[in-house]
C-alpha cells in the first residue's frame, strides 16, 4: 500500500514537472501563488543548467526575473537571489556575462535600496566575475 502511494506521488510530481516544462514561458502558471511560480521556474532553470542547456536555463531565469520584477514582495528575496545566480551562471557558461552587466547593476541598486542582503551578496559576487 505504501509503495502504491509512493508511485502515485512520483507520477503526480512527474506530471507536474512535465506540465511546467511545457508552460514555462507563460506569464502565470497554474500552480497558484507567485512564490510557487518563481520557485518552480528556479527548479526548471537549475535542471536545465545541470543538463548543460544554457540557452533554456537563461530563458527560464529571465522569465522568472520578469515575474519577480512585476511584483515587489519580500517573500521572493531568497528565491530572487537564486534566480539571479542561475541567470548569471547561464550567461557565464556561454561566455556572455558582460552583456548583462547593466541588468545586474540595476538589480543590485534595487536590492541595496530594499535592504535585501541575499540578493545583494549574489549580485555583487556575479558582478565581480563579469
Amino acid at each position: 500500500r505504501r509503495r502504491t502511494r509512493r508511485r502515485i506521488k512520483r507520477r503526480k510530481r512527474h506530471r507536474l514537472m512535465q506540465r511546467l516544462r511545457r508552460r514555462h514561458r507563460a506569464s502565470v502558471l497554474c500552480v497558484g501563488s507567485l512564490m510557487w511560480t518563481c520557485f518552480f521556474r528556479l527548479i526548471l532553470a537549475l535542471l536545465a543548467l545541470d543538463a548543460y542547456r544554457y540557452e533554456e536555463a537563461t530563458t527560464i531565469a529571465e522569465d522568472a526575473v520578469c515575474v519577480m520584477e512585476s511584483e515587489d514582495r519580500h517573500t521572493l528575496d531568497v528565491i530572487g537571489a537564486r534566480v539571479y545566480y542561475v541567470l548569471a551562471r547561464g550567461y557565464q557558461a556561454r561566455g556572455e556575462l558582460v552583456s548583462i552587466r547593466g541588468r545586474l547593476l540595476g538589480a543590485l541598486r534595487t536590492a541595496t535600496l530594499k535592504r535585501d542582503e541575499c540578493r545583494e551578496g549574489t549580485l555583487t559576487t556575479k558582478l565581480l566575475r563579469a
Side-chain angles (χ1 to χ4, degrees), residues 60-116:
I60 295 170
E62 284 174 352
D63 290 343
V65 166
C66 289
V67 169
M68 285 185 314
E69 287 175 350
S70 68
E71 296 286 330
D72 186 26
R73 296 186 184 177
H74 287 289
T75 56
L76 295 175
D77 288 347
V78 177
I79 295 173
R82 298 295 150 221
V83 169
Y84 273 111
Y85 169 79
V86 170
L87 178 68
R89 179 69 184 106
Y91 274 102
Q92 182 181 3
R94 289 175 14 197
E96 302 173 2
L97 188 57
V98 177
S99 65
I100 62 163
R101 184 182 290 163
R103 187 178 204 174
L104 294 178
L105 282 169
L108 178 64
R109 181 179 60 232
T110 304
T112 304
L113 290 173
K114 286 175 44 178
R115 301 189 194 286
D116 179 7

Side-chain angles (χ1 to χ4, degrees), residues 1-11:
R1 194 169 185 179
R2 287 183 183 174
R3 287 183 182 176
T4 56
R5 286 183 186 170
R6 287 180 191 163
R7 286 180 189 163
I8 291 171
K9 284 182 181 179
R10 243 186 269 142
R11 281 188 211 141

Side-chain angles (χ1 to χ4, degrees), residues 22-97:
R22 275 186 252 131
R23 297 182 187 177
H24 78 274
R25 304 241 4 158
S27 61
V28 177
L29 294 174
C30 298
V31 177
S33 72
L34 182 68
M35 188 169 80
W36 283 109
T37 303
C38 291
F39 181 71
F40 282 124
R41 286 185 182 180
L42 172 64
I43 290 174
L44 287 175
L46 285 171
L47 288 173
L49 267 181
D50 285 343
Y52 301 105
R53 294 182 296 197
Y54 301 120
E55 293 280 336
E56 186 179 345
T58 53
T59 56
I60 295 170
E62 284 174 352
D63 290 343
V65 166
C66 289
V67 169
M68 285 185 314
E69 287 175 350
S70 68
E71 296 286 330
D72 186 26
R73 296 186 184 177
H74 287 289
T75 56
L76 295 175
D77 288 347
V78 177
I79 295 173
R82 298 295 150 221
V83 169
Y84 273 111
Y85 169 79
V86 170
L87 178 68
R89 179 69 184 106
Y91 274 102
Q92 182 181 3
R94 289 175 14 197
E96 302 173 2
L97 188 57

